[in-house]
Amino acid sequence: MGRAVRVMAVSRAEQRAVTRRALLDEGLRRFAADGYHRVVLAEVARAAGVTKGAAYHHFDSKAGLFRAVVAEVQEGLGERVAAAAELHEGLWEQLRAGCRCFLAAGTDPAVRQILLVDAPTVLGWDEWRALDEESSARHLVEALKALAAAGIIADQPVEPLARLLSGAMNEAALWIARGGDPGAAEQALDRLLAGLRTPA
């Protein structure tokens, strides 16, 4: 009897996980394609093959689903940036590769619409910044600290520098997302970063 109860509990937990995943996947697709304000939670639930009640059970509201989708997209972007940096040996090339990867993300519809356009207004600036700091901004701070410790950039407080670079890259990624030239943005980024290097 005990084993049967455990099996049922596992099955229910698995079903909850499957339902949540289906809602997140459909929410991501819709928020990226249509923007937050045009998405209806009941339609997301229907397309995901679950009831509206199940959607409310997992996320409370459309805003709750959006918040969870933003966190996933933000985390995924942070992982992509870190992976791009790790392909290089030198600290300077790691920084450049990570920054370039972030800029290139402006062409990704999910990053463009969900992270750059909707998230700051729907979640509010403070919550959006907190999510950003948990993912890609954290990697930028770590990279700048390593560069300062190695003498590649001047020894300085990296927090304000990271915020300046992050803000500039967010704007550039949004500019790319709206049709700006990625190559021109990369060149501007390289010139900006080059100004940080200490003289050889």
Side-chain angles (χ1 to χ4, degrees), residues 120-139:
T121 54
V122 174
L123 300 181
W125 182 253
D126 288 339
E127 185 174 355
W128 181 81
R129 282 295 305 154
L131 287 169
D132 184 50
E133 285 171 13
E134 286 172 19
S135 54
S136 53
R138 176 173 51 85
H139 296 298

Side-chain angles (χ1 to χ4, degrees), residues 15-25 58-59 65 68:
Q15 185 55 49
R16 281 195 296 273
V18 167
T19 298
R20 179 180 170 81
R21 183 75 262 154
L23 287 164
L24 283 167
D25 289 345
H58 282 278
F59 297 106
L65 174 60

Side-chain angles (χ1 to χ4, degrees), residues 46-145:
R46 192 177 317 112
V50 302
T51 65
K52 184 168 75 170
Y56 280 102
H57 171 74
H58 282 278
F59 297 106
D60 293 327
S61 63
K62 180 175 81 166
L65 174 60
F66 182 72
R67 186 172 286 110
V69 167
V70 168
E72 281 208 342
V73 174
Q74 190 74 271
E75 183 181 348
L77 177 57
E79 289 169 358
R80 278 158 54 189
V81 167
E86 286 166 9
L87 293 174
H88 299 269
E89 290 291 323
L91 293 173
W92 184 254
E93 287 307 316
Q94 287 176 354
L95 175 69
R96 287 182 67 221
C99 290
R100 284 178 168 197
C101 178
F102 184 88
L103 281 191
T107 61
D108 178 335
V111 170
R112 179 184 67 237
Q113 187 64 44
I114 294 171
L115 286 191
L116 300 175
V117 176
D118 287 337
T121 54
V122 174
L123 300 181
W125 182 253
D126 288 339
E127 185 174 355
W128 181 81
R129 282 295 305 154
L131 287 169
D132 184 50
E133 285 171 13
E134 286 172 19
S135 54
S136 53
R138 176 173 51 85
H139 296 298
L140 181 58
V141 168
E142 290 167 0
L144 292 171
K145 283 182 178 176

